[in-house]
Amino acid sequence: MPLEAGLLEILACPACHSPLEDKSADAQSPELICTGGQDCGLAYPVRDGIPVLLVDEARRPA
């Protein structure tokens, strides 16, 4: 289930404060990706429609 556009507009990466991109179309592992580029790029999981914006829970870019 994709996040509402209004919510996505106000969410930011807790590590670098860059905007987040919704990658929730993949039903098996929905996540929000930091658009901070090479400096950050963390992927935050979305569990039960709720973004988990904890740096310790984020996946590092491959």
Side-chain angles (χ1 to χ4, degrees), residues 26-47:
D26 181 10
Q28 291 196 8
S29 61
E31 55 189 10
L32 298 175
I33 308 293
C34 175
T35 60
Q38 298 287 16
D39 297 335
C40 188
L42 293 173
Y44 298 94
V46 177
R47 296 185 187 129

Side-chain angles (χ1 to χ4, degrees), residues 8-28:
L8 194 56
E9 287 179 18
I10 62 172
L11 291 179
C13 175
C16 71
H17 308 291
S18 295
L20 297 171
E21 183 178 329
D22 188 6
K23 293 293 185 180
S24 295
D26 181 10
Q28 291 196 8

